[in-house]
Amino acid sequence: MASLPIGDAVRSVCVKITTSRTEEQIHVLRHVLLPSIREAEQDISDRVVKTVIRALSFTIQRYKYRIPRQEVEDVIRILLNKNAKVTVETLLAVFEEFINPLKKAVLSRSGCTAALVVLNWSCIVARHLLKHPDAEEWLRLVECQAVLFSAAIATNGSIQHSARQKLKCIWSESKDVGWIYNKALERITPSEHLGCIVSHLFTVALSQDDPNLVKVCKGTAINVYIKAVLGAKSQPCEHSLTSFGAVLKHIDHDMFSSSLLPAVQKALLRNPEDVVTAVGHLVKHVSIDLSRYSVDIGKLIAAQLISRTEWIRESAACVLQNLVVQCSDGEAVDELIKLLVGILNRSEDKLTLWEQRTGVLTGLASLSHHQVGSSSTSDALSLTVTESVIPLLEREVHEGTLSCGLSTLGLWTAKFSTTLPDSLLSFFKKCFAKGTTSAGRTAFLRCMLATFKGNCIVQGIEFLPLLQAVVDKAMAQMHQVAVVTEGLTAAALLVNLTAADATVESGLTGFWNTLLNTEKQIFTTPKFIGAASAEGLITLLHLTSKVMIDYADKLDDKQRRQWSYPLLAMSLHSSWNVRRETQSATRRLLMYADSDILWQNLHYFYKEALSVQDDPHELEKNALASFEDAAISIKAKQREGKSLVETLWMLASVPATAETAEKEKVAVDIFLSAHHPSIVYYEKHAWLKVMQRLGLTITDIIQQHGNILWQQILTELQAANDGQSALNGLKSLCQWASSDVVPRIMECLQSGLKDDRLMLVTQMEVDIMNTPEGELCDQTIIEKAKASVAATEQNVKRESKAYSYEEQQWDRELREEMQRKKGQKPVAKGGKKVQVKGKSKAGGSSSTGAAAAAVGKGGVQVTSKQQEAIEDRMAEEAAIRKRLKQLHREYETTEKLLCAVVDSNAAAVKSHVPSLINNILRLLKTSLASAGACRLWLKLRSVVFAPKLTGLGTLVAHATLRLLEPLRGLDSVWSQEALPAQAARIVELLLSAISTKSGHSQTTLFPTATFTYCFPLLRRVLQGDGECVQGNVNARKQALQFILAHSKTRKTDDDGLEQDPDLLPRDQLLSVLAEVIASSSDLRTVGQLRNVAMSAFSELCEGASGKDDCGHGTAADIRVLLDCLLSPLQELRHIAVKGLQSMIEVLPSAEDEEETDVLVKALTRRVFVAQFDPEEKVKACAKQLWNDANLETPKFLCLILIGDVLHSEQVVRVSASLAIAAVLQMYPDMVSTVADTLFDTYKDKLKAPLVVRDDIGRVISPPFVDSWPSRCGIALALEKMSPQLSDREVDSVFSFFVNSGLSDRVEEVRRQMLNAALSALNIHGKVLL
């Protein structure tokens, strides 16, 4: 295709380049702009270049996919070749304009993505400018790249990796590139953004093994770090600090002491709040021992521990922790301890604020993470801290500071490896005597819990009585969370002491009875777990783990379940630390021998937790009071969803050495839980990931445990809840193993849709089902009670000549009958239902006695007998209501199953569409399932119609429902257009959708499933001479043309099941076409419609011939063709015989199975009769078919042909008469039997039924229709078989004529009988005379 002129192309690009559609983005660049600028014969003008680049700048945020972005990069490359100078200048202007907001902005992921896009553009320009590294443009470009790279790596994941790879590719192209970049970076003013690219250049230089470049880059990076990070006037970005880690790791003592340490000291003295975080990163990433520098740095950091700003105190504590980790010298750590203790103990400038004291204690706690290897040195450090902190704690009065100090003390005392100092034990004893709050005592107990462990645990036995007293106090005050938390800590310590010394356990019998008492348990209740602090829950986790591991033999099943609950509840806690610790501990517990019971208990509580979860989709739909409330609520639900998913992974933890059967059991049991809406919303393929964690495949699970999974789905769907978990599970199975699952589902669906009980439900029963319990739906009894009351109150003149009592009764009964025919129920006065007071018979005894009861709003009095009848009726309605609700629930299950399969894997349903359609359409007229059938019908349109035909599919679906007139379920919106016009318009749209376009030789057909879906609409258009389209000949012709096109459907290797003749509703198509051929009443339309219908009829038969590309005709197809042989229209009979001739390869034979025996008999019967058709061409084709099919003339034809003799059509009776004469010629011994059967049949057909009247004399029997054509057929048969009559049979025949036949009440029968008698007389007269 020729390209546009460059000016037209640029104008088109400026208009369309910002489109949101990916296809248009690719088109406007690849097919409009690129060809134009490639084929430009001379350099592109400056104005065009600037216009194009400015247009491309709008794509930075709009283009989201790789291919359009690559097209933009191709445009930039070509512009650089055509007009480099202006292109570079314009792009640099775009880059500088883009990076200005990035220098101080906090970037989101989309902003980082945009920075990566521009960085890619800059790399294209960099390859061009590398040839001129001294140019000013090169320095500007590198500065832009520094900011872009810093912005791109501000996020984690693929964006950061791509940004690093882009620059690495450029720097790896040549060894000189790194030197060129470093030279430019040295000339740029240092900034934290510059530090990111410098550090990355250093990393790449290390990988290239260039020591000279590494040395130069390290010097540049350290210079930038000192000036831009340590000398910064604001706090650096986190990603910028992290990027320097690779450089800091290669710092030696000389560089640290000469360059970095002075800079750190200067920065901490000048602006510590800005650099304290950077110092923490520095001491964390260096690889040298910082023992010699610890005091110098510690003095400056210690000053920040007493800052009034909380985050500065926390950052300073973090610096001390990182610093002490890098110190291997115990003396250096001791100096730091003394430094902090001195701050706490100094007399001048006392720490008056409790936050300051807490800050110093937190710093002292950070020092407990030291890495001193010698146990003796470690014990000495712990002793120093202990002896220094205890006096402070003894005089501390602030509870928060006391708790922090005890926590710090616990961290240090936990490091004692042999024995505890006496001062510490004395301090613990004073703790119980000291009058503190429950929270303070809990802090003391936590310190003791951390202290008494390992070799030191034996020293805690002396505290047993005190601890047991604390537990007893908690049992007495179980409603106070703080007291219970105190008791919990004491109980955890008691369990530890019991495990250390077996002799102790005998004295703690009361404690164990209290701890394991399921009736009065206070530590594992939901109320306590929900109110306890995070520290308290960690203690509970410790206690639970101890009980379930060390004392599992003390637990029965009920106690095991009770102690399993805290594990599950804490796994779902809002605190991340609690969840992490609990899930880790639970995974360890699941590795033990009795883990199966624990897993079952955890899964039980997990399912309970899921059952109370709200659907996240509903949360998004519901509008909350304010945006802030909505944001908080959604964030809380996200946290809950994340914890639910984490707990699911925990439940899927099975030892790697476990048997495959055990893993499969876990996967099967967890199936529905993994598909709960709250899980699927946050982790769509949770069960698939569970299978991967267990090392299983879905195919194996379905093959071995498919029945169990299927039963779980059905049970969940039929339960009282919505069954969304089962539907999600079903969708997953359909997506991942459709070949194994979908056939099973379809079998269940077909069974549910074919349930004959749905067809038997009446509207009255549906009304009863919808009537609330305790309310009577059928008000007939109430009406009769009202009528009886009215009759007693009114004085009716029964013998009035004008309006007698009998006439009044007759009139009332007629009115009631008319109401019943209209589907109305007699209602109480006032038009409202009447509710019966008291219980029904089904629910218990009635509240009424023998006396009359007042019923309803009008106060109608009923007798005891009437009240009993009301109760009996209510009992009947209750039974009906129960039965219908169960049936409705089963049908809803079927509906949910089909919708789930369609939503998950519509392609797998296509081959089942024909059978589904037939079963759904039959339910449209049912009272119970009509609305559901409409929903299913509308749902199937998404299966059969391609996305581009969605609008047409929706139109076809709703119009079909209008034509089929279901009882309920129609959408009134689609009823605004006149139905005949709408149906005709749809047929035209369908035909135009497959019409042959100019230049193409073939028509594009719909898939077989799509045509099958459209067929009910086409059938209604064609039936009844197009009554639904008001006889519109054009619409009917178009419908036939549409059918004709699809009747030529043949199998192809490429389409698979898309084009399969066997999926066509062939028997229904043949029936409709036969009706069109036979019922064209208007002579003007016969030629227009009949020829198209006959062509389609022939093509359908050919498509069922059983050839390689054709389908195989079914018994239903053959029966339709055989029925067509009974038509009075000779064209239809002729084409039906030809159709059977086409299907001769698939016709049943006598050697086939017993199931086809009836069809073989029917085929033999119809073809044999067709050989005697009045039309010669039909007769000739039938004889040819008889011979080609190797059919034989069995003896049973003698009797079954009598049925054709009685046929309503004259042509059939004539053919059957000739056929019966022919078969009797072959079997003369059957003449007498046939004649007697004809005589008996005549007597049956001659009888007229008696007239039936009701109680008041009205005729209620149907009007009598005399079947005289059948008697004509009997006469005709007797006429044709007269040559085969013997002498004895002639006598009985003439006796029949004289006594019955010639005296028939219909003249036409008498005439035919006379002809038969004369024929017999002419043949046998001489013998008789």
Side-chain angles (χ1 to χ4, degrees), residues 947-968:
K948 62 181 180 180
L949 296 175
T950 300
L952 178 60
T954 304
L955 189 60
V956 169
H958 286 279
T960 303
L961 290 179
R962 291 186 66 189
L963 291 170
L964 296 178
E965 299 178 350
L967 291 182
R968 56 179 60 84

Side-chain angles (χ1 to χ4, degrees), residues 1009-1223:
T1010 307
F1011 172 80
T1012 305
Y1013 190 83
C1014 300
F1015 174 67
L1017 182 143
L1018 301 173
R1019 177 171 54 191
R1020 290 288 294 124
V1021 169
L1022 294 173
Q1023 284 177 337
D1025 286 337
E1027 180 181 359
C1028 70
V1029 292
Q1030 298 178 346
N1032 189 330
V1033 178
N1034 187 43
R1036 293 156 64 192
K1037 184 178 180 181
Q1038 290 175 339
L1040 288 172
Q1041 291 173 344
F1042 187 78
I1043 293 176
L1044 174 60
H1046 289 85
S1047 64
K1048 300 177 182 179
T1049 299
R1050 298 295 183 266
K1051 293 180 181 179
T1052 59
D1053 296 334
D1054 298 334
D1055 295 332
L1057 294 178
E1058 289 289 321
Q1059 301 294 343
D1060 189 353
D1062 283 333
L1063 295 181
L1064 290 172
R1066 193 182 297 112
D1067 56 334
Q1068 301 177 48
L1069 281 168
L1070 292 172
S1071 299
V1072 171
L1073 292 173
E1075 180 181 352
V1076 173
I1077 294 171
S1079 63
S1080 296
S1081 57
D1082 190 351
L1083 295 178
R1084 294 175 299 175
T1085 65
V1086 172
Q1088 299 180 35
L1089 302 180
R1090 183 173 291 173
N1091 293 336
V1092 182
M1094 292 176 67
S1095 299
F1097 196 99
S1098 300
E1099 290 291 345
L1100 283 171
C1101 295
E1102 182 65 28
S1105 61
K1107 297 179 181 178
D1108 292 340
D1109 59 343
C1110 300
H1112 291 74
T1114 63
D1117 304 336
I1118 297 173
R1119 289 192 185 94
V1120 173
L1121 295 177
L1122 296 180
D1123 292 340
C1124 291
L1125 293 176
L1126 302 176
S1127 172
L1129 189 67
Q1130 63 91 11
E1131 289 89 349
L1132 184 56
R1133 298 198 305 276
H1134 182 226
I1135 199 172
V1137 176
K1138 291 176 64 177
L1140 289 171
Q1141 183 71 36
S1142 301
M1143 299 168 59
I1144 194 168
E1145 296 295 333
V1146 297
L1147 293 179
S1149 61
E1151 292 80 11
D1152 291 338
E1153 299 178 1
E1154 296 181 0
E1155 290 79 3
T1156 61
D1157 182 59
V1158 176
L1159 185 60
V1160 172
K1161 290 182 178 180
L1163 177 65
T1164 304
R1165 173 184 178 182
R1166 293 273 73 86
V1167 177
F1168 185 81
V1169 173
Q1171 293 181 97
F1172 302 94
D1173 194 275
E1175 296 294 333
E1176 289 298 327
K1177 59 181 180 180
V1178 178
K1179 184 189 300 183
C1181 289
K1183 288 182 178 180
Q1184 181 66 33
L1185 175 61
W1186 182 271
N1187 296 328
D1188 293 345
N1190 297 321
L1191 298 176
E1192 299 178 352
T1193 308
K1195 193 173 185 178
F1196 66 80
L1197 284 178
C1198 299
L1199 294 178
I1200 66 173
L1201 288 179
I1202 295 176
D1204 294 338
V1205 169
L1206 305 177
H1207 201 272
S1208 59
E1209 295 295 341
Q1210 174 69 15
V1211 64
V1212 179
R1213 296 198 297 270
V1214 172
S1215 301
S1217 300
L1218 294 173
I1220 202 170
V1223 74

Side-chain angles (χ1 to χ4, degrees), residues 618-733:
E618 295 297 328
L619 180 64
E620 291 184 350
K621 294 178 182 177
N622 296 333
L624 299 179
S626 65
F627 176 79
E628 291 79 7
D629 293 341
I632 295 173
S633 179
I634 292 175
K635 187 175 181 179
K637 292 301 295 182
Q638 289 175 346
R639 184 175 62 247
E640 291 180 11
K642 182 180 179 181
S643 63
L644 287 169
V645 174
E646 291 173 351
T647 307
L648 182 68
W649 302 150
M650 180 190 73
L651 291 175
S653 301
V654 177
T657 58
E659 298 291 336
T660 304
E662 183 181 352
K663 296 180 180 179
E664 291 176 350
K665 185 177 183 303
V666 171
V668 172
D669 291 345
I670 215 171
F671 174 71
L672 289 180
S673 299
H675 288 98
H676 191 274
S678 297
I679 299 294
V680 174
Y681 182 82
Y682 299 103
E683 188 60 61
K684 185 176 182 180
H685 303 301
W687 195 59
L688 179 61
K689 293 186 177 181
V690 167
M691 301 288 287
Q692 293 172 350
R693 288 170 178 261
L694 296 174
L696 302 174
T697 61
I698 292 181
T699 304
D700 294 340
I701 286 290
I702 292 176
Q703 290 177 353
Q704 298 180 20
H705 305 281
N707 293 331
I708 300 177
L709 295 177
W710 181 243
Q711 194 58 43
Q712 287 183 9
I713 291 173
L714 292 181
T715 303
E716 181 73 9
L717 284 175
Q718 293 176 1
N721 53 19
D722 58 355
Q724 192 59 45
S725 300
L727 295 178
N728 291 335
L730 184 64
K731 292 177 182 178
S732 297
L733 295 179

Side-chain angles (χ1 to χ4, degrees), residues 75-128:
V75 172
I76 294 174
R77 291 187 183 94
I78 297 176
L79 290 177
L80 284 171
N81 293 331
K82 294 286 185 179
N83 193 337
K85 182 178 179 181
V86 177
T87 302
V88 170
E89 188 64 32
T90 309
L91 283 172
L92 287 175
V94 171
F95 296 163
E96 291 169 346
E97 181 181 349
F98 181 80
I99 66 173
N100 283 332
L102 301 181
K103 294 180 180 180
K104 296 182 180 181
V106 178
L107 296 176
S108 63
R109 187 172 181 83
S110 60
C112 297
T113 304
L116 176 62
V117 172
V118 182
L119 180 64
N120 293 341
W121 294 7
S122 70
C123 292
I124 298 174
V125 180
R127 287 185 172 88
H128 179 79

Side-chain angles (χ1 to χ4, degrees), residues 784-796 798 861 866:
K784 288 183 178 180
K786 280 190 175 184
S788 63
V789 173
T792 58
E793 295 176 353
Q794 295 179 2
N795 185 15
V796 181
R798 298 191 178 186
Q861 298 292 325
Q866 290 173 334

